[in-house]
Amino acid sequence: MVVLIEQFINGLAIGSVYAIVALGFALVFGVAKVVNFAQGSQVMAGAYLVWAGTALWGLPLWAAFLAALAGSVLIALLIDLIAVEWLGDSAEIAPLLSTLALSFMLDQGVRLIWSPDPVAFPNPFAGISLQAGPLYFGATDLVILAVTLAFMAVFSLLLKFSWLGRSIRAAAQDAVAAQQMGVRTGPAKLAVFALSGGLGALGGVLVGMYFQQIDPSMGLPFGLKGFAAAMVGGVASLPGAVLGGLVLGVFESLAGGYIGSAYRDIVAFSLLLLVLVLRPQGLLGSRALQGLGGSRGAGAIPTTSPLADNSGFPVTVMGTRPIPMRWTMGLTLLIGLLASFAMDGYWSGVLAQGAIFATAALGLTVLTGMSGYVSVGNGALMGVGAYACALITTRLGWPFELVLPSVIVIGALAGLLFAYPILKLSGHMVALATLALGQIGYLVMLNAIPLTRGPMGIGGIGEPRFALLGGRALEFPGAMTALCFAVLLLALYLVHLLQRGHLSMNFQLIREDRLAADAYGVHATPYVVIAFITSSIMASLGGMMFAYQQAYVSPDSFLILFSFLLLTMVLAGGIVSPFGAVAGGIALIALPELLRGHAEYRELIYGTVLILIIKFLPSGLTSLSFGRRRAPAAPAPAAGTGGTP
């Protein structure tokens, strides 16, 4: 019992930190309807500003916090200016990716200004514990709890009794109605971003005190936990964000104490998935948004499509130039031949890796571009294919002719498992659920040591050997590159099959608005499952070739950043165009190699390029020679009358 109580108090302490991060997420989402992926980086930046104030500028902790508070608010307002205001009426997916790009840039900026190495954070309560009978409590945990409770009390009073708080609550409930009643929603939006910055500074101090050290890479993990806490409690519910953070912290602490520290994160994200399956709106959330166009709320044209802007216009779709599949496959074949037989070994390998990622990105062309479901977890599915290939080749010694269909079957099963928790979700919740699934996949790879060898990975993966060649490999210099492009061509042909007939039409109806598709007689569930399975197969094929090319796989090869990279590729190339996936995949793999001489600025340049593409090329590279938007095509009657299950 003593251990249980101590673990419970420890869980409340770290849960308080998660609650602070979740509050910033819920505030911004509630008013601005933006998934702010930079919230975790704001916590990291706030922690570094406090550390700099104490360690470099000689300020006392309270003065350093006030300076960090001002700096964090400024950072948050810049995020609002760039990711929301400047992008204007971009698609719903645009702020998600632009805040992600800003998060990368903020992390790299901290590395350049200070250091990529961890630094000690000042904690005047370190090493102090209090005894209450047989119980021992760390002073740091108690201080974190006290500070969090005091902040929650002041924050609640601010929201309930101040003019600003009433404006924020009105804008969160219904911005259009609030404007009609004379509420100025613009200042309310600025206020929630400023508050999210303040929460970043407070969260940074609490994180630093709890762990007693900070580093520039800590932003993303805490951002993910904050998103998970907000989803558990209710995506737009402020009390839910607090409850979700505390519940998450307690479950983590109990799992670490009774199961093992390696399973803390798995328990946390499994809890998120359980809540999403049983109660998609969260513990304290509301189902009201589902009837108003998913997470978008009441707009001029309600829609569940993440590819549409606030007026319902699918900006990431309509500017895409329709490029015939035969041209896409012909150009891919030409690039593959040149890379395999006419280029030196270095650039041949670079283009081979581009083909690998293009294969995996094609899965998102099907899932996101054709059916409208945004996934930020496909990197884990790529890992499924890589580990399947590694295990089959190293333990069973099977030839390529058996590895290929085995990976397809395993990828299909993984896609089916991936789809199950998603079927009842819509809008932003789909993206965050796939993010949780991606994290669980990564953590399984990391901790299933008897199968995956954990952090050590699996090496010794030989070249693809063919039974038709008597168990020999292809014996010419560009053989691996040629095989990578051959698998890419196979994936393109699979997409071509999906683009034919009523299947493609029904995908389009679901993409534009699932609610309208259901009303029109198209039963969306089987099509969504098909899209997830196909996407998983293509990601697994990319992972298979990744394992062959690298001859080694490890969990670090499939971090959540891989999933973001795949999504960026299809957005940069053209989210509904197979040619866009090929162009985006090859371009974004080649770009870092071209910037190798400026490695320290690579993430800054990468983030800037991504934001510029979102702003000026919302339909991707495939819209460069397409000057005018096409009028939306009316759905074909065959799609509705078919109504196939």
Side-chain angles (χ1 to χ4, degrees):
M1 181 60 69
V2 171
V3 175
L4 176 63
I5 295 174
E6 290 177 348
Q7 290 292 340
F8 186 79
I9 296 297
N10 182 266
L12 289 178
I14 189 62
S16 299
V17 178
Y18 296 156
I20 294 294
V21 182
L23 268 178
F25 173 74
L27 270 172
V28 172
F29 182 85
V31 174
K33 298 297 183 288
V34 170
V35 178
N36 181 16
F37 266 115
Q39 187 67 37
S41 292
Q42 289 176 237
V43 171
M44 180 274 300
Y48 264 90
L49 288 173
V50 173
W51 167 79
T54 56
L56 303 181
W57 306 329
L59 299 176
L61 185 60
W62 64 268
F65 171 71
L66 293 179
L69 187 65
S72 297
V73 168
L74 178 60
I75 291 172
L77 293 177
L78 286 173
I79 291 173
D80 172 47
L81 178 65
I82 296 172
V84 180
E85 295 296 331
W86 189 60
L87 290 179
D89 292 329
S90 298
E92 183 180 281
I93 194 177
L96 184 150
L97 289 175
S98 60
T99 55
L100 174 66
L102 290 170
S103 174
F104 292 158
M105 297 170 72
L106 192 56
D107 293 351
Q108 186 61 21
V110 168
R111 293 187 187 96
L112 292 175
I113 294 172
W114 289 298
S115 168
D117 301 321
V119 296
F121 192 87
N123 181 4
F125 305 100
I128 301 175
S129 61
L130 302 177
Q131 184 177 4
L135 301 175
Y136 287 87
F137 303 108
T140 299
D141 292 352
L142 297 178
V143 168
I144 289 175
L145 281 173
V147 170
T148 302
L149 290 174
F151 170 79
M152 295 302 179
V154 173
F155 188 67
S156 298
L157 293 174
L158 172 69
L159 287 179
K160 188 172 183 179
F161 296 108
S162 71
W163 169 85
L164 179 61
R166 288 193 294 269
S167 298
I168 290 173
R169 288 188 288 121
Q173 290 178 8
D174 193 324
V176 176
Q179 286 178 328
Q180 292 172 346
M181 296 297 293
V183 176
R184 298 174 62 191
T185 56
K189 184 168 68 64
L190 284 176
V192 297
F193 269 96
L195 284 170
S196 76
L199 289 166
L202 178 60
V205 171
L206 298 182
V207 168
M209 290 178 61
Y210 186 86
F211 292 100
Q212 299 185 36
Q213 72 172 22
I214 55 176
D215 68 87
S217 63
M218 73 183 216
L220 182 60
F222 277 97
L224 296 179
K225 293 295 182 63
F227 299 147
M231 291 296 296
V232 167
V235 66
S237 169
L238 299 184
V242 176
L243 177 62
L246 295 177
V247 168
L248 202 65
V250 169
F251 268 80
E252 271 195 15
S253 182
L254 294 177
Y258 289 98
I259 303 176
S261 58
Y263 296 95
R264 288 173 59 106
D265 290 343
I266 292 180
V267 168
F269 287 106
S270 297
L271 173 64
L272 170 59
L273 278 182
L274 183 64
V275 171
L276 288 175
V277 171
L278 300 179
R279 188 176 171 84
Q281 71 271 32
L283 298 178
L284 300 183
S286 169
R287 290 183 178 272
L289 290 177
Q290 293 184 2
L292 297 171
S295 63
R296 183 178 301 282
I301 304 178
T303 174
T304 62
S305 173
L307 311 182
D309 60 17
N310 290 329
S311 66
F313 189 83
V315 292
T316 62
V317 176
M318 300 312 298
T320 302
R321 183 180 184 182
I323 300 176
M325 181 60 78
R326 63 180 182 275
W327 292 4
T328 301
M329 296 184 73
L331 184 58
T332 302
L333 177 61
L334 177 61
I335 296 173
L337 291 174
L338 291 174
S340 302
F341 300 104
M343 291 186 178
D344 60 43
Y346 177 78
W347 279 105
S348 178
V350 169
L351 290 179
Q353 198 166 68
I356 290 169
F357 277 88
T359 303
L362 275 171
L364 289 176
T365 299
V366 174
L367 184 62
T368 304
M370 293 178 65
S371 64
Y373 277 70
V374 179
S375 171
V376 285
N378 270 35
L381 295 174
M382 195 174 174
V384 168
Y387 271 98
C389 174
L391 291 170
I392 291 171
T393 54
T394 57
R395 296 189 181 183
L396 301 178
W398 286 2
F400 185 79
E401 292 93 335
L402 293 178
V403 173
L404 178 63
S406 300
V407 167
I408 290 175
V409 171
I410 293 171
L413 292 175
L416 190 61
L417 292 174
F418 227 66
Y420 175 73
I422 310 296
L423 295 177
K424 296 181 181 179
L425 305 180
S426 63
H428 291 299
M429 287 191 284
V430 172
L432 295 176
T434 57
L435 184 149
L437 286 164
Q439 279 294 99
I440 291 173
Y442 162 74
L443 293 168
V444 168
M445 296 175 208
L446 186 65
N447 294 297
I449 295 177
L451 183 66
T452 65
R453 300 187 70 225
M456 295 183 294
I458 300 175
I461 304 170
E463 299 177 279
R465 298 187 176 275
F466 296 84
L468 293 176
L469 298 179
R472 292 180 300 164
L474 297 174
E475 297 177 355
F476 58 91
M480 181 61 69
T481 301
L483 192 57
C484 290
F485 275 91
V487 172
L488 174 57
L489 288 168
L490 172 63
L492 285 169
Y493 183 71
L494 292 177
V495 176
H496 174 62
L497 295 178
L498 289 176
Q499 288 180 328
R500 302 172 63 182
H502 79 280
L503 187 63
S504 175
M505 297 178 187
N506 288 345
F507 273 142
Q508 181 180 344
L509 283 171
I510 296 167
R511 179 190 70 201
E512 302 304 328
D513 198 317
R514 177 169 176 169
L515 296 176
D518 286 335
Y520 197 57
V522 175
H523 304 294
T525 297
Y527 293 101
V528 174
V529 172
I530 291 172
F532 269 97
I533 289 175
T534 307
S535 177
S536 179
I537 288 173
M538 293 181 183
S540 297
L541 289 175
M544 175 188 72
M545 295 312 302
F546 181 86
Y548 273 130
Q549 191 203 35
Q550 301 293 319
Y552 171 79
V553 294
S554 72
D556 287 345
S557 299
F558 307 103
L559 294 167
I560 198 68
L561 296 178
F562 261 52
S563 300
F564 291 135
L565 178 60
L566 292 174
L567 190 58
T568 303
M569 286 174 176
V570 293
L571 182 72
I575 203 162
V576 298
S577 170
F579 179 84
V582 175
I586 293 176
L588 290 184
I589 291 299
L591 181 61
E593 301 304 321
L594 296 173
L595 298 175
R596 184 171 291 275
H598 306 280
E600 67 273 23
Y601 302 106
R602 192 160 52 183
E603 291 188 30
L604 297 177
I605 298 172
Y606 178 82
T608 303
V609 169
L610 175 57
I611 292 173
L612 292 176
I613 287 175
I614 293 171
K615 173 65 176 178
F616 297 109
L617 293 173
S619 299
L621 298 174
T622 53
S623 65
L624 281 173
S625 57
F626 195 73
R628 297 176 58 189
R629 288 177 174 171
R630 294 176 293 146
T641 56
T644 53

